[in-house]
Amino acid sequence: MRDATKYIAYTIPIVILVAIGFLVLEFPPKNNEIQPKPKGQLICNFSKGDRSAFRFESKVAANNSQVKPSAEDFLRMTISLDVIENHKTYADLHLRFGDLELKQDLTHPEERILGNFNEGIVMRIGSDCRIHKLGFPKEWQASTRQFLASQLKTLEFVLPADQTTKIWNVRQKDSVGYYLAQYEARPLEQKYKIIRIGKNYETQDMQHYFGVSFRVLDSQGEAILDPGGTWWAQVTGTMSMVLHTAEQEKIDLLMTYQLARNPDLYKIASNTVLAVNDFDFREPNSLDQKEKEGPVSGLEKITFSEIREKFSGLLKGDEKDYINSAEHLADWLRTNPKETSKILQALRRQEFSEDEKPAVFLALELAGTTESKQVLIAVVEDSQFKELDRAQAISALADHGEPSLEVTQLVMNYATDSSSRMLSVVSLLAVGSIGDRSRAQHQEVAQTVQTYLKSRLDDAQGVSEEVNVLDAIGNSGDNKFDNDLRKRLDHKQPSIRASAALAYRNMEPVVGETVIVKSLNQEPHPDVRLSMVEALHTLKVKSPKALAAGAKSLEKETSKKVKTQLVNWLGSAKSETVAKNALVEAFHRETNTDIKQHIGRYLSAKDLLRK
């Protein structure tokens, strides 16, 4: 039977969970001005090159333990964050921990976590703030990984897919088990307060593993989100529970935590930051820990029929939990790799519904095994599957495991195949994604992608094909296409100019800033100007020359869409005088109510009312 304090060992590092899960934080301005209600989307935004730092403190107290009366554990540390990759729907964040103070009175010595975590980890987080993957240094022990991973999953704040919703429910999982998270978004000055209450905890699996019975009495958390979703502003929370050991000892646990952003605490990495591909993204619970009484998950005992039923159950009803269902199936596939062929058989028999298929292909991608890769390849190469199925398999292959020449060549072949337009376009975009993933550590693959895209761009037939190739180049984020993009910013076709401008947004800011800023106020077509401003905003360009060009563009702009994007860009740089002044002047000049309200997202009433 598991020691009850082992459970405490895994629930204590709530600090790490919160610190990692809500890394991008800044406290709201301390003033009493009445500010406009937020109008922006409930999303998390990150841009490559962003950095921040935080101070975290957490305490777990056992108020009536007979072993150690009034015992407590605490963890204090700083966190330095770098956004190392940014994609359309997720970002990869590198988290490094320092100044670690860890007290573990509640945990037996043999169960305590040792080390300092200085190497850091990678967290892949979606635009809805859900954590997709965690990558650990390959030398880390399974227990250390689980220590961090289980806590990180405990305090996710998942934002709604429906942007009109202010009350929503999500099925989530933390270190206790699955539970129903009830959310509410409340306007708070220029921000949103996101309130999360945990209900209906399913504790059977954890009770079986730890040999204790327990129930959660209360679980609450709050996060402050700005309207654009760029930064969390603050995170606090508590969780209380009662444990009963096999000896019928009752232990009351109370966990509290708080995280504060402090850029001055940021520390530059002492060593070169590893590429994403250097981290191990396997599920910690799937690793062979050789624990005293067997594996934690017990997934090797679950049959395909049982996992199939569990998977489908997560996708029923109005609140379809695609990520959790995919992660659950991926865990099973990693634990039972020889059973992966049953997924292919079920797909061929059309046993998965159209609603389930996206999660199936995501699970095959997340599993990251040789067997799951072979299933994806089999789907791509079987013309009996629907085009959409094959396209989803291609997309999953592009992000599956380590980039390889085998997969790259396969995807390139289908990108050149003219028999299916859907498959060829999706494959072409996937080639770009492979180039992005391989550039740091897989030079042969990266060079193959670069050569292929260059050839496709030079040989493109017609506007549509050239636009698709430019989009793939944008996915690759390869700075070496700078000259090709510059030439196309002068193209007679607006769609080609727009795609060329947008392709810069995944490259280094220094590459595209000068040419885009120079072209912005000479560009006659609004769609191209929109792409230019979106690129500058994504790249977080804040040089005085660029912001001055943005101010000039906002003054004469007639398109509402372009004005809105200009406000977003200048608003993100509101700490710069030229950007702030441009917004204030636009507010007094503007006659469109929506644009005025949009400006109000970024500036206080005091700023807007000044002459």
Side-chain angles (χ1 to χ4, degrees):
M1 177 175 60
R2 303 287 173 182
D3 194 318
T5 56
K6 175 66 176 295
Y7 173 76
I8 299 174
Y10 285 104
T11 54
I12 285 172
I14 227 132
V15 53
I16 298 177
L17 195 181
V18 181
I20 301 175
F22 312 105
L23 318 168
V24 282
L25 306 175
E26 63 182 26
F27 284 101
K30 296 181 180 180
N31 62 62
N32 297 319
E33 298 294 337
I34 298 176
Q35 301 183 30
K37 291 184 178 180
K39 296 290 183 180
Q41 291 183 315
L42 290 166
I43 59 174
C44 276
N45 280 333
F46 302 94
S47 295
K48 187 173 181 178
D50 282 352
R51 59 173 54 177
S52 192
F54 313 88
R55 179 67 183 173
F56 187 85
E57 297 186 9
S58 177
K59 182 173 72 172
V60 181
N63 296 326
N64 59 342
S65 170
Q66 297 302 312
V67 178
K68 289 188 176 182
S70 301
E72 68 176 28
D73 284 25
F74 67 73
L75 177 60
R76 304 185 184 113
M77 65 184 192
T78 58
I79 305 154
S80 295
L81 172 152
D82 292 276
V83 180
I84 53 178
E85 295 291 346
N86 184 43
H87 303 269
K88 291 182 179 179
T89 58
Y90 68 88
D92 288 328
L93 313 180
H94 184 227
L95 315 178
R96 290 172 284 109
F97 314 104
D99 301 322
L100 183 67
E101 298 178 61
L102 178 61
K103 177 184 178 183
Q104 297 178 329
D105 282 348
L106 296 174
T107 309
H108 285 177
E110 64 271 17
E111 306 290 2
R112 291 173 182 169
I113 302 298
L114 303 176
N116 55 25
F117 317 130
N118 281 344
E119 304 104 311
I121 69 172
V122 169
M123 181 173 72
R124 180 164 293 175
I125 184 170
S127 57
D128 62 353
C129 296
R130 188 187 286 275
I131 301 164
H132 290 188
K133 293 181 180 180
L134 295 174
F136 301 90
K138 295 177 181 178
E139 66 274 14
W140 278 25
Q141 297 295 316
S143 58
T144 304
R145 301 183 190 202
Q146 189 173 26
F147 176 82
L148 287 173
S150 63
Q151 302 313 310
L152 182 58
K153 294 293 293 183
T154 302
L155 298 181
E156 286 181 303
F157 280 57
V158 181
L159 301 176
D162 182 356
Q163 292 297 308
T164 64
T165 299
K166 294 299 178 285
I167 296 178
W168 66 99
N169 297 332
V170 178
R171 191 170 186 266
Q172 294 179 224
K173 185 180 182 181
D174 61 18
S175 59
V176 174
Y178 282 101
Y179 69 100
L180 178 67
Q182 298 177 337
Y183 287 100
E184 180 181 357
R186 297 178 182 175
L188 179 66
E189 297 179 339
Q190 294 188 44
K191 304 178 185 295
Y192 281 112
K193 175 187 286 187
I194 310 298
I195 299 172
R196 191 222 58 229
I197 298 176
K199 299 283 188 179
N200 304 329
Y201 272 84
E202 302 172 19
T203 61
Q204 300 92 330
D205 292 343
M206 296 298 289
Q207 289 180 183
H208 172 75
Y209 174 61
F210 288 111
V212 299
S213 64
F214 58 88
R215 62 190 178 95
V216 176
L217 302 179
D218 183 68
S219 177
Q220 299 185 39
E222 292 185 0
I224 306 299
L225 178 73
D226 75 350
T230 303
W231 304 106
W232 291 102
Q234 185 176 351
V235 175
T236 59
T238 62
M239 187 176 189
S240 61
M241 66 178 73
V242 175
L243 282 76
H244 291 274
T245 68
E247 293 76 23
Q248 299 304 309
E249 178 189 1
K250 176 184 177 183
I251 301 176
D252 294 327
L253 284 178
L254 175 65
M255 297 181 284
T256 60
Y257 50 88
Q258 61 180 358
L259 182 67
R261 181 177 185 268
N262 184 348
D264 293 337
L265 296 177
Y266 179 86
K267 295 182 179 179
I268 298 175
S270 56
N271 299 317
T272 302
V273 176
L274 296 175
V276 171
N277 293 326
D278 289 323
F279 289 84
D280 186 352
F281 282 90
R282 287 179 295 167
E283 170 63 33
N285 284 349
S286 72
L287 302 178
D288 184 10
Q289 295 180 246
K290 302 298 183 183
E291 293 282 2
K292 298 175 184 177
E293 299 179 29
V296 175
S297 64
L299 288 174
E300 75 283 351
K301 299 178 182 179
I302 298 178
T303 66
F304 176 72
S305 297
E306 291 171 333
I307 196 66
R308 174 76 175 83
E309 182 179 357
K310 182 75 171 179
F311 172 83
S312 297
L314 291 170
L315 294 173
K316 291 180 179 178
D318 295 332
E319 296 292 334
K320 293 179 174 60
D321 199 340
Y322 287 100
I323 301 297
N324 268 345
S325 61
E327 289 177 341
H328 201 76
L329 181 55
D331 288 346
W332 184 83
L333 290 171
R334 280 189 293 266
T335 306
N336 304 278
K338 294 181 180 180
E339 300 289 295
T340 307
S341 61
K342 293 182 178 179
I343 298 291
L344 180 59
Q345 296 168 12
L347 284 168
R348 284 186 167 141
R349 291 193 296 264
Q350 299 183 12
E351 294 179 2
F352 291 107
S353 69
E354 295 303 315
D355 281 344
E356 291 176 326
K357 285 180 181 178
V360 172
F361 289 113
L362 178 59
L364 290 167
E365 173 196 326
L366 295 175
T369 63
T370 300
E371 292 81 3
S372 63
K373 180 176 73 173
Q374 293 306 316
V375 168
L376 290 171
I377 291 175
V379 173
V380 172
E381 295 186 326
D382 189 344
S383 61
Q384 298 301 310
F385 281 104
K386 296 178 181 178
E387 283 187 325
L388 180 59
D389 295 339
R390 299 171 72 194
Q392 290 183 95
I394 281 282
S395 295
L397 268 176
D399 287 325
H400 184 285
E402 294 289 317
S404 68
L405 285 174
E406 174 199 9
V407 169
T408 303
Q409 189 60 58
L410 174 70
V411 177
M412 289 192 305
N413 289 342
Y414 282 97
T416 312
D417 186 358
S418 60
S419 63
S420 168
R421 175 169 173 76
M422 176 190 291
L423 199 58
S424 64
V425 172
V426 170
S427 299
L428 182 58
L429 297 175
V431 171
S433 297
I434 292 173
D436 183 39
R437 295 179 60 230
S438 62
R439 195 166 57 253
Q441 296 293 323
H442 301 271
Q443 294 300 318
E444 187 176 7
V445 175
Q447 183 60 51
T448 299
V449 169
Q450 183 187 119
T451 301
Y452 175 80
L453 292 179
K454 173 64 174 173
S455 175
R456 286 292 304 268
L457 186 61
D458 292 341
D459 298 338
Q461 300 296 315
V463 174
S464 179
E465 182 179 353
E466 191 160 353
V467 165
N468 291 334
V469 178
L470 288 170
D471 289 344
I473 288 173
N475 282 354
S476 76
D478 192 337
N479 297 338
K480 293 180 180 179
F481 285 100
D482 180 27
N483 288 334
D484 297 288
L485 298 182
R486 287 172 183 262
K487 293 177 183 177
R488 283 156 181 82
L489 285 177
D490 292 326
H491 200 282
K492 64 180 181 180
Q493 287 290 340
S495 58
I496 290 180
R497 298 201 303 273
S499 295
L502 205 56
Y504 276 110
R505 66 180 175 178
N506 290 328
M507 299 181 185
E508 295 297 328
V510 68
V511 177
E513 176 181 346
T514 302
V515 65
I516 294 178
V517 169
K518 181 180 179 180
S519 304
L520 179 60
N521 283 298
Q522 282 74 49
E523 173 55 51
H525 201 285
D527 290 348
V528 183
R529 296 197 299 274
L530 181 64
S531 293
M532 289 178 168
V533 178
E534 184 175 339
L536 293 170
H537 182 208
T538 302
L539 293 170
K540 292 193 176 295
V541 173
K542 296 182 180 180
S543 67
K545 184 175 180 179
L547 294 177
K552 181 179 178 180
S553 180
L554 181 59
E555 182 178 356
K556 66 178 185 178
E557 185 57 62
T558 57
S559 166
K560 182 179 178 181
K561 287 184 178 179
V562 181
K563 281 185 181 181
T564 300
Q565 191 61 39
L566 280 164
V567 171
N568 287 338
W569 171 35
L570 295 172
S572 68
K574 64 183 180 182
S575 59
E576 304 295 329
T577 302
V578 63
K580 184 176 182 180
N581 289 343
L583 291 176
V584 172
E585 291 169 7
F587 180 83
H588 290 285
R589 180 177 63 245
E590 187 59 56
T591 58
N592 186 289
T593 303
D594 290 340
I595 298 296
K596 292 174 76 74
Q597 290 180 340
H598 200 62
I599 295 172
R601 292 172 48 193
Y602 295 99
L603 299 180
S604 68
K606 181 179 179 180
D607 288 329
L608 292 173
L609 293 177
R610 70 180 176 85
K611 300 297 183 180

